[in-house]
């Protein structure tokens, strides 16, 4: 593997030692060992990566120098929000009242409302994430069997012994 002469062997080792970011440290370590003459397979074993990763790291270093080995994920702001703050305010106002067809708001109902009122087609995931960010939680009543007898259940609760204090699946301590 050929390594460009951007830095000397000693300079590469200093970069390995002073790197605070573990990703950057591992990349400099791979380039350091490549400059020492180790094979991609040997470097992969040392860095716990694949030979292909080693080759790609050295290629990046050769093309872009030491700056190419920095972890740029820290500067990535991510994707911009699907809805603007004004649109989120409108969604929050809509959620204060009942949905157009009555009943309770659901993810699909809110998704349809957003598409109809705001003209944006969203999947359910961003709708649920938006609801969570706004402080809403899932409200689903506990299921009840259609033939359940409420009076018999209450009588059972009053006459049954108190719950066991077992701590494990087998009752062990």
């Amino acid at each position: 593997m050929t390594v460009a002469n951007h830095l000397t062997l000693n300079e590469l080792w200093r970069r390995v030692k002073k790197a605070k970011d573990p990703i950057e440290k591992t990349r400099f370590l791979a380039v350091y060992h490549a400059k020492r003459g180790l094979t991609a397979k040997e470097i992969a074993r040392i860095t716990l990566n694949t030979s292909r990763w080693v080759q790609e790291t050295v290629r990046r270093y050769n093309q872009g120098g030491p700056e190419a080995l920095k972890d740029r994920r820290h500067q990535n702001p991510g994707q911009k929000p699907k809805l603007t703050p004004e649109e989120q305010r409108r969604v929050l106002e809509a959620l204060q009242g009942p949905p157009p067809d009555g009943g309770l708001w659901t993810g699909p109902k809110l998704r349809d409302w957003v598409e109809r009122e705001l003209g944006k087609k969203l999947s359910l995931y961003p709708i649920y994430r938006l609801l969570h960010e706004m402080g809403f939680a899932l409200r689903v009543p506990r299921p009840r069997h259609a033939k359940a007898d409420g009076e018999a259940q209450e009588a059972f609760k009053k006459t049954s012994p108190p719950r066991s204090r077992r701590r494990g699946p087998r009752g062990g301590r």
Side-chain angles (χ1 to χ4, degrees):
M1 230 177 337
T2 306
V3 180
N5 288 323
H6 296 295
L7 297 173
T8 67
L9 197 59
N10 287 337
E11 289 170 331
L12 281 169
W13 184 247
R14 266 187 254 128
R15 294 279 181 109
V16 169
K17 285 302 195 183
K18 81 172 194 178
K20 301 260 188 275
D21 186 279
I23 303 293
E24 189 177 329
K25 184 180 204 110
T26 307
R27 289 175 182 167
F28 273 111
L29 185 64
V31 173
Y32 169 78
H33 286 305
K35 190 143 182 126
R36 283 184 49 221
L38 273 65
T39 65
K41 198 172 191 177
E42 293 168 327
I43 298 168
R45 222 172 302 137
I46 292 169
T47 60
L48 303 176
N49 284 296
T50 64
S51 298
R52 180 72 191 114
W53 177 89
V54 173
Q55 294 164 349
E56 181 63 22
T57 302
V58 172
R59 184 194 63 75
R60 284 176 58 189
Y61 174 77
N62 288 343
Q63 288 181 347
E67 285 298 310
L69 299 183
K70 294 194 183 239
D71 189 4
R72 293 186 210 113
R73 293 177 293 181
H74 302 297
Q75 286 78 39
N76 185 352
Q79 186 179 18
K80 66 179 190 168
K82 304 273 187 208
L83 299 176
T84 65
E86 172 62 26
E87 291 169 333
Q88 288 182 14
R89 186 189 59 73
R90 286 186 58 197
V91 168
L92 189 57
E93 286 174 3
L95 288 171
Q96 302 307 317
D101 64 348
L104 294 174
W105 280 103
T106 64
K109 285 182 186 180
L110 186 58
R111 178 188 58 197
D112 295 342
W113 183 91
V114 166
E115 185 175 352
R116 191 174 53 256
E117 297 294 323
L118 304 177
K120 293 198 175 179
K121 192 171 181 80
L122 302 177
S123 65
L124 284 176
Y125 178 73
I127 293 292
Y128 289 133
R129 194 175 69 232
L130 176 67
L131 287 170
H132 177 73
E133 288 169 0
M134 291 180 165
F136 288 93
L138 184 62
R139 288 179 51 195
V140 178
R142 286 188 60 93
R144 300 217 181 266
H145 194 278
K147 297 179 182 176
D149 182 0
E151 292 177 17
Q153 289 175 347
E154 288 303 317
F156 175 79
K157 289 178 190 175
K158 290 177 183 174
T159 59
S160 64
R163 293 184 95 186
S164 172
R165 293 189 180 215
R166 290 187 344 184
R167 291 205 175 158
R170 301 264 189 260
R173 298 228 179 244

